[in-house]
Amino acid sequence: HLTDGWRTLALRDAATDVVAPPGDTSRLLVVQQNGVVSLLVDGVLQPRPFLDLRNVVVADGEKGLLSIAFAPDYATSGLFYVFYVALGPDALDPSGQRGDIRIVEYKVSADNPDVADPASARLVYKTSHSAGNHNGGWMAFGPDGDLYFSIGDNANGSNAQTLANPFGKILRIDP
């Protein structure tokens, strides 16, 4: 029962991010650690998830589906990005390992704005991450149109001081 909008869902299902698509005042997406992105339309939880990644996300401890970011032109492009800790090798990354950090691009369904098109998945960024914690997980588009994201320090504080690795940094890419 969703009596208090997204707050009840967030408390019940380990929400890691809550985001609205740019310019959309009726939709709110709740990213859940277990790999599900739930959708609320005008405060009502929809029966079908916007996106379900439980088959590719490892969700324990500090791992899981950690954030979502909508492209600035989402209203026309339908593109959005998810940041998660991978369960292991799959069709997107056959050489991947359990614990890898991934940023994956998806597109909203052409037929239904309330669901993503799972077949549109495109791996944008990945890096190995051997620690079970300190995964990072924040993402947002900057005013320059680039995607900014943070990767945790891989449970080693000195990684943030070492420019030769991506750990403990805020990175920027043009997806």
Side-chain angles (χ1 to χ4, degrees):
H1 298 277
L2 199 61
T3 58
D4 188 27
W6 69 270
R7 287 182 183 91
T8 302
L9 179 64
L11 292 172
R12 183 187 72 202
D13 294 317
T16 56
D17 200 6
V18 178
V19 180
D24 190 332
T25 58
S26 63
R27 287 178 180 79
L28 191 65
L29 289 99
V30 179
V31 177
Q32 297 162 222
Q33 184 181 16
N34 68 355
V36 174
V37 179
S38 294
L39 174 68
L40 290 95
V41 178
D42 295 323
V44 177
L45 178 63
Q46 302 304 292
R48 182 175 176 189
F50 181 76
L51 182 64
D52 187 341
L53 298 174
R54 287 178 285 191
N55 62 330
V56 296
V57 170
V58 58
D60 59 46
E62 296 177 16
K63 299 181 205 115
L65 179 58
L66 301 176
S67 64
I68 189 170
F70 292 93
D73 67 347
Y74 176 76
T76 55
S77 73
L79 296 176
F80 66 95
Y81 301 83
V82 293
F83 182 118
Y84 65 85
V85 180
L87 187 57
D90 59 26
L92 272 183
D93 185 12
S95 65
Q97 301 295 315
R98 181 181 179 89
D100 285 355
I101 301 290
R102 289 190 188 170
I103 295 177
V104 179
E105 175 188 85
Y106 284 91
K107 189 169 186 162
V108 70
S109 168
D111 300 328
N112 183 351
D114 291 344
V115 295
D117 175 4
S120 68
R122 180 177 73 92
L123 183 63
V124 173
Y125 180 87
K126 79 164 191 167
T127 189
S128 63
H129 197 273
S130 58
N133 58 354
H134 297 219
N135 298 290
W138 168 85
M139 278 193 315
F141 277 88
D144 57 2
D146 286 345
L147 181 62
Y148 290 76
F149 58 96
S150 66
I151 296 179
D153 63 13
N154 204 23
N156 180 343
S158 67
N159 275 331
Q161 305 304 316
T162 305
L163 293 178
N165 69 55
F167 306 125
K169 319 279 191 309
I170 295 178
L171 304 171
R172 177 184 68 173
I173 60 172
D174 176 353

